[in-house]
Amino acid sequence: MTKRVAIFISGSGSNMVALVKSMHSVQFALPTLVLSNKRNACGLIKARNLQIPTVCVEAKKVAGCDLKFEEAIQKELENYKIDIICLAGFMRVLSARFVDSWQGKILNIHPSLLPKYKGLNTHERVLEKHEELTGCTVHEVTRELDCGRILGQATVPIFPDDSVESIKSRVLEKEHILYPKTLEQFCLGRSGLIIM
Ligand code: GRF
């Protein structure tokens, strides 16, 4: 059965574009909705250009748990009969209640080789630690931040003259391949770990 996929963004939406394009002309998934928590997210324009319905739900509270915000999101997800949520640069932590109710149906992409470097500013920390490798991880979303089951991982080298920006763009390039591949396997119910 075709899975109806919602993609949550907050910013540029480059992973969203890669995901949407990967679902063109396949049977297993349909890019159904792009949801942003930021009205000015560039990704919203990109989604509209790709003819994907968009919705913006902004939180009232700057941080912490905002149940009204999540209720509004939930309503949209029901409206569009969503089966799977892909977080793609969505800069808001979802509550345990929300995550539990979507258990096994939310994926996230994180710009590090989890379980290393959970949280923000991964590339800065990788550089500070003089790592030789970094990469990105697609994982299931659970209550604990960046801790869910790992579904796919791609590695990139770090070179002596690298900056945060150069690492970021090298990792992002891999994200755009890894996320669609992992989503495909996930939709098809294949449980193997993807390593690139
Ligand atoms: C990516 O690096 C992703 O790993 C992280 O946020 C960034 C989103 O980039 N979660 P984009 O909005 O997909 O371009």
Side-chain angles (χ1 to χ4, degrees), residues 6 10 12 26 48 51 55 57 59 68 75 97 133 145 177 189:
S10 301
S12 84
V26 299
R48 286 183 205 123
Q51 323 286 332
V55 61
V57 180
K68 284 247 153 48
K75 222 177 231 171
R97 195 169 90 162
L133 290 175
L145 193 68
I177 304 167

Side-chain angles (χ1 to χ4, degrees), residues 17-26 28 179-181 183-184:
V17 170
L19 286 170
V20 167
K21 288 188 172 164
S22 76
M23 288 183 260
H24 276 157
S25 67
V26 299
F28 59 82
Y179 210 173
K181 265 197 179 170
L183 176 65
E184 174 177 346

Side-chain angles (χ1 to χ4, degrees), residues 11-16 88-91 108-111 123 172 175-176:
S12 84
S14 69
N15 276 289
M16 176 276 296
F90 186 66
M91 302 306 286
N108 180 42
I109 186 146
H110 182 77
H123 307 314
L172 208 49
E175 291 184 26
H176 298 160

